[in-house]
Each structure stands twice: as C-alpha cells, then as structure tokens.
Amino acid sequence: MSNPVEEFNAYRSKMNEKLLADNNKVIKRIFNLDTNAYAPGALDVKTKELLGLVASAVLRCDDCVKYHLESSFKEGATKEEVMETLGIATLVGGTIVIPHLRRAYEYWEALEENQG
C-alpha cells in the first residue's frame, strides 16, 4: 500500500531541487523568506506552523496544508490542537474548506500511522 507522507515528501523534495537548481533569484529569495518566517521569534515555531495551517486551509492549498500539518506534527502539536486549528480555518474559510478539512484529517492520520 502506498504511503501518502513519503510520496508527498519525495515529490516535494524532487521538485524543490529542480526549482532551486534553475538559480532564479526571486524564487530562491521567496524560499528563504518562507524558511525564515517560520523560525522561532516572538511566536514559537509550533504556533507559527498552526497559523500557516489556517492560512493554507482557507486558501485551499492541499500541498500547503500537508506541509504545515507535518511541520506541526514535528513540533509536537496534538491532534486536538490541529483539529481546533482546522475548526478555525473552516469557520473563517466557510464550507468550501470542508473537502480540504477531510484531506487534512486523512493526512494527519497518515502522519500518526508513520510514527507508530
């Protein structure tokens, strides 16, 4: 059976390498800005990742949702924290976010399964 976490990370890594290999200054700066935005600061990394999760769900970016779910997971977010965060995202984004909520829940389960 396929592993959605491994598949997502392999694809993301492969494509990021290709994108960055083209040596486009704007793309490299955007990647760097993204990395630095989630560094510890006045807000801890877990909080920033949960904020990124809300924004990603509201903007309906499934790849972004997966990325922030995994980052939140690595930062020690609990299922309850993630579900509360996704509840806020669904409230803010409206019912159009529900399909992304379903996929997010499914991906969180895959993250939990990979841990065990």
Side-chain angles (χ1 to χ4, degrees):
M1 182 169 240
S2 68
N3 184 320
V5 175
E6 289 177 7
E7 287 176 11
F8 173 72
N9 285 317
Y11 175 77
R12 185 174 173 275
S13 293
K14 179 180 97 175
M15 293 311 299
N16 282 352
E17 284 179 27
K18 287 183 176 192
L19 288 166
L20 293 172
D22 278 347
N23 208 25
N24 181 299
K25 188 187 293 186
V26 173
I27 290 174
K28 283 187 172 189
R29 287 185 176 175
I30 290 169
F31 273 58
N32 184 272
L33 179 62
D34 181 69
T35 298
N36 286 310
Y38 290 92
L43 296 174
D44 61 81
V45 176
K46 181 172 84 171
T47 300
K48 289 182 177 187
E49 291 297 342
L50 292 171
L51 289 168
L53 178 58
V54 169
S56 298
V58 170
L59 292 169
R60 302 185 305 273
C61 175
D62 283 334
D63 279 5
C64 304
V65 167
K66 288 177 182 177
Y67 175 82
H68 290 292
L69 281 171
E70 190 162 347
S71 296
S72 297
F73 187 84
K74 288 177 181 174
E75 289 299 320
T78 65
K79 185 176 188 176
E80 292 77 19
E81 289 172 322
V82 168
M83 290 312 298
E84 192 167 321
T85 300
L86 289 169
I88 296 296
T90 305
L91 174 67
V92 172
T95 56
I96 197 162
V97 174
I98 291 172
H100 305 276
L101 173 64
R102 290 182 192 118
R103 288 189 287 275
Y105 193 92
E106 181 179 47
Y107 196 75
W108 185 264
E109 288 183 328
L111 289 167
E112 290 177 325
E113 287 173 15
N114 277 359
Q115 182 188 28

